[in-house]
């Protein structure tokens, strides 16, 4: 994985300690907790299905109180075409039996095939950074990396930063996982790392005189 260059920060993956490296197998429930939707392991893939207009959520067993990022290979399963979503810094609302405050990121979502990051289920503090510039081709396997550094959230697809968002009221701990939102997702080759980053001084050099 290449360095991830964000505004003012540089994440160095080979210095970011590996917390979990997981390839789906029969022991998947030892590492992951289905919270909603239908989840199963089929060969090398975790498969999530949710036919309704809501997220089928799969959580990591562990809850993290430090800055982490998750990398994974993901694709849609035909006939579905949308919402390749992950969650991080996420908590569960037992009363609603659904997501509590969480960061949600994804491709081909938000009803108009947008991609981006959303801070959700936080009431008046909800924010989002969305774009239609990136076009995901349904059925294509992509490698995604997502996470946050004290509210500086990011989503990387095939080594390219697709979007980042800075949250002045950050979510700083919680579960990491996936959301099959009215879709069918296939996920494999999951890595969770503690984020190692350095300050990144950026400036322009003149392009003309």
């Amino acid at each position: 994985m290449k360095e991830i260059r964000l505004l003012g920060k540089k994440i160095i993956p080979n210095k970011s300690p590996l917390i979990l490296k997981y390839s789906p197998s029969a022991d998947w429930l030892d590492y992951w907790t289905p919270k909603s939707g239908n989840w199963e392991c089929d060969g090398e893939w975790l498969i999530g299905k949710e036919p309704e207009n809501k997220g089928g959520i799969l959580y990591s067993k562990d809850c993290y109180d430090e800055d982490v990022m998750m990398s994974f290979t993901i694709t849609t399963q035909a006939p579905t075409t949308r919402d390749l979503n992950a969650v991080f810094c996420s908590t569960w609302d037992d009363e609603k039996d659904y997501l509590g405050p969480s960061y949600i990121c994804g491709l081909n979502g938000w009803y108009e095939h947008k991609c981006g990051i959303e801070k959700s289920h936080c009431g008046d503090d909800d924010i989002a950074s969305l774009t239609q510039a990136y076009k995901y081709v349904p059925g294509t396997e992509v490698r995604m990396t997502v996470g946050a550094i004290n509210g500086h959230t990011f989503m990387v697809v095939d080594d390219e930063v697709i979007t980042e968002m800075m949250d002045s009221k950050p979510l700083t701990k919680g579960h990491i996982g996936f959301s099959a939102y009215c879709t069918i997702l296939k996920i494999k080759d999951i890595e969770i790392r503690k984020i190692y980053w350095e300050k990144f001084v950026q400036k322009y050099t003149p392009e003309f005189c």
Side-chain angles (χ1 to χ4, degrees), residues 4 7 15 33-34 50 53 57 77 87 94 102 111 118 143 166 171-172 179 184 204 206:
I4 300 172
L7 186 61
K15 291 186 177 181
T33 300
E50 174 53 71
N53 189 47
I57 308 299
Q77 178 174 293
V87 298
D94 289 323
S102 305
Y111 308 104
E118 175 185 23
R143 187 73 179 167
M166 295 181 181
L171 306 175
T172 56
S179 172
I184 305 174
Y204 284 125

Side-chain angles (χ1 to χ4, degrees), residues 119-177:
K119 180 185 179 183
S120 189
H121 306 286
C122 296
D124 292 340
D125 290 335
D126 283 2
I127 56 175
S129 175
L130 305 174
T131 178
Q132 289 181 297
Y134 179 88
K135 302 298 184 183
Y136 170 75
V137 178
T140 303
E141 294 180 24
V142 294
R143 187 73 179 167
M144 293 178 64
T145 299
V146 303
I149 302 169
N150 192 33
H152 189 164
T153 63
F154 56 91
M155 179 174 66
V156 178
V157 180
D158 292 335
D159 283 330
E160 298 294 332
V161 177
I162 301 302
T163 190
E164 56 187 298
M165 181 178 73
M166 295 181 181
D167 181 6
S168 63
K169 297 179 180 179
L171 306 175
T172 56
K173 61 183 178 180
H175 293 274
I176 200 163

Side-chain angles (χ1 to χ4, degrees), residues 85-100:
N85 299 336
V87 298
F88 50 101
C89 300
S90 181
T91 55
W92 194 256
D93 187 324
D94 289 323
E95 184 176 341
K96 296 180 180 178
D97 196 28
Y98 196 58
L99 287 176

